[in-house]
Amino acid sequence: MKFAIIAAGEGSRLAQEGINAPKPLVRLGGEAMIDRLIRIFNENGAEEICIIVNRLHPETEAHVRALMQRGEGAPIRLTVKTTPSSMHSFYELSRDLGDAPFCLTTVDTIFREDEFRHYIDAFKASEADGLMAVTDFVDDEKPLYVATDDALGITAFLDQPAEGVRYVSGGIYALRPACLKTLQRCMAEGQSRMRNFQRGLVDDGRRLKAWPMKKIMDVDHAEDIVKAEQFLSEA
């Protein structure tokens, strides 16, 4: 199984709030966020880790290349390209993801390591096309709500809350290679947001299931760094 990290955002909000380091290199409890994900992925049996970084922060590229040179853990495949959206970044990574099941997330997604391990084990044992991590902890500025049936099969992705909809997307996607056909279609149609890709999976009849986690959060603002460190220390 492969793992993939989107680390190509500008991190402009953090920079505006006085955080000098590029977002992937922001430290939580002394560990850079990108290093934390790489470590966790290796602990969950990664065969390869595919990473995309932008050209705006060469220090991030240099950091990843130093890790590659060190040669510890699974091989790292690095793409360096500035993209207009996360879905475009995913598309760039997809060239290296078409031959095996994979798990994709953005570099600032924070979760409990034990919950993530259970999630990956469940995906490996599942016959679903995709297992999407969800949470009822809502701390996102524009959450994506996930409608499910009684068996946690995903029926819709919604921009607004709706009656009976408990969960929001956690931004962690475990997918089979067949889902990349939907990504290619969305790109050809000019779509540019990951939530539209997820809607496309439903439209294309992909079998998607939700996997609840107690809490998943992103680091978008300087205050989120403190929140994330507190969350991880409690976990």
Side-chain angles (χ1 to χ4, degrees):
M1 181 173 175
K2 294 186 177 184
F3 291 80
I5 303 171
I6 295 175
E10 296 182 17
S12 55
R13 285 173 290 189
L14 286 176
Q16 292 168 2
E17 295 170 6
I19 305 301
N20 295 322
K23 182 184 282 191
L25 303 186
V26 168
R27 292 182 171 272
L28 301 178
E31 186 177 31
M33 287 197 288
I34 195 166
D35 291 352
R36 177 177 183 269
L37 284 180
I38 292 171
R39 173 180 58 76
I40 293 171
F41 293 165
N42 277 313
E43 290 172 354
N44 282 275
E47 297 172 4
E48 185 174 72
I49 300 174
C50 303
I51 302 173
I52 182 169
V53 303
N54 64 45
R55 298 187 183 279
L56 304 175
H57 300 293
E59 53 266 60
T60 303
E61 177 187 354
H63 180 87
V64 175
R65 291 200 183 280
L67 295 177
M68 294 168 68
Q69 205 167 35
R70 202 176 303 165
E72 299 173 356
I76 295 174
R77 190 183 294 268
L78 178 63
T79 299
V80 182
K81 187 171 184 177
T82 301
T83 61
S85 74
S86 292
M87 198 172 87
H88 284 80
S89 294
F90 179 24
Y91 181 72
E92 295 297 327
L93 287 172
S94 69
R95 296 177 173 88
D96 299 321
L97 298 174
D99 58 349
F102 60 90
C103 177
L104 168 81
T105 190
T106 54
V107 74
D108 64 332
T109 303
I110 310 301
F111 48 81
R112 289 176 58 117
E113 295 181 32
D114 58 338
E115 288 193 313
F116 184 79
R117 182 176 66 255
H118 295 315
Y119 164 69
I120 294 299
D121 288 344
F123 174 62
K124 290 177 179 178
S126 170
E127 295 182 357
D129 295 314
L131 190 63
M132 312 305 226
V134 299
T135 181
D136 57 9
F137 174 79
V138 183
D139 190 41
D140 197 289
E141 294 172 353
K142 295 181 180 179
L144 179 64
Y145 295 87
V146 183
T148 63
D149 58 26
D150 292 340
L152 290 179
I154 295 175
T155 58
F157 293 95
L158 310 169
D159 289 327
Q160 301 297 329
E163 184 177 354
V165 176
R166 175 181 178 183
Y167 298 111
V168 298
S169 172
I172 309 172
Y173 321 101
L175 302 169
R176 309 286 175 192
C179 294
L180 296 177
K181 294 180 180 178
T182 297
L183 175 63
Q184 293 165 358
R185 177 180 64 77
C186 290
M187 289 292 293
E189 293 173 354
Q191 303 285 354
S192 61
R193 303 185 70 189
M194 283 296 290
R195 61 183 56 195
N196 290 331
F197 162 68
Q198 293 177 78
R199 291 188 180 108
L201 291 172
V202 174
D203 293 341
D204 288 348
R206 306 295 179 192
R207 297 170 301 165
L208 303 180
K209 296 206 70 173
W211 183 266
M213 294 187 184
K214 293 180 181 178
K215 184 175 180 179
I216 305 172
M217 63 175 295
D218 295 334
V219 177
D220 292 320
H221 298 279
E223 65 180 14
D224 293 335
I225 298 173
V226 177
K227 293 179 182 178
E229 288 187 319
Q230 182 178 358
F231 167 44
L232 293 177
S233 66
E234 292 170 351

